[in-house]
Amino acid sequence: MAIQHANDDNFTEMIGGALTLVDFWAPWCGPCRMFGPIFEEVSDKIPDVKFVKFNVEEGRRTPAKFGIRGIPSVLAFKGGELVEARSGLMDQETLTDWINELKG
């Protein structure tokens, strides 16, 4: 599934429905640049999960609302509700295992 992009204005509609992972990132963040391709690869392999990226440079309200203090941070939502959050760089296996736990 293609990665979607969220901002402060469309965030609420982006996280509704099935399991959605949101990657909070910034272009100047080295670990974020390393994690981006991993997030994309996993999104291609797990089509029943929605993958969303949120550039913290393009919106401040949403990261503040969820207490984002470090990036990359990935928040998992089900039906618009936050179910879990993880910060820091994850490899493909760790991200995939976490998604399978969330789906389980």
Side-chain angles (χ1 to χ4, degrees):
M1 175 181 274
I3 301 263
Q4 299 179 37
H5 297 272
N7 56 46
D8 283 338
D9 296 329
N10 70 1
F11 189 79
T12 302
E13 67 188 58
M14 296 294 271
I15 62 169
L19 178 60
T20 302
L21 295 182
V22 182
D23 172 25
F24 288 85
W25 72 286
W28 47 262
C29 166
C32 297
R33 288 195 310 269
M34 292 169 60
F35 181 64
I38 294 167
F39 194 70
E40 261 187 67
E41 263 185 60
V42 173
S43 77
D44 290 337
K45 294 178 179 174
I46 306 177
D48 60 331
V49 173
K50 185 191 285 186
F51 289 78
V52 177
K53 293 184 72 73
F54 191 108
N55 182 344
V56 298
E57 292 292 304
E58 296 175 357
R60 301 277 186 207
R61 287 191 323 262
T62 303
K65 175 181 177 182
F66 291 102
I68 302 296
R69 299 223 186 290
I71 52 175
S73 285
V74 180
L75 276 57
F77 295 87
K78 286 184 182 177
E81 298 294 320
L82 177 64
V83 292
E84 196 172 330
R86 295 205 177 172
S87 289
L89 182 61
M90 286 183 270
D91 62 24
Q92 188 172 344
E93 182 179 351
T94 301
L95 179 59
T96 302
D97 288 349
W98 181 43
I99 292 168
N100 289 330
E101 286 173 23
L102 292 165
K103 288 167 65 175

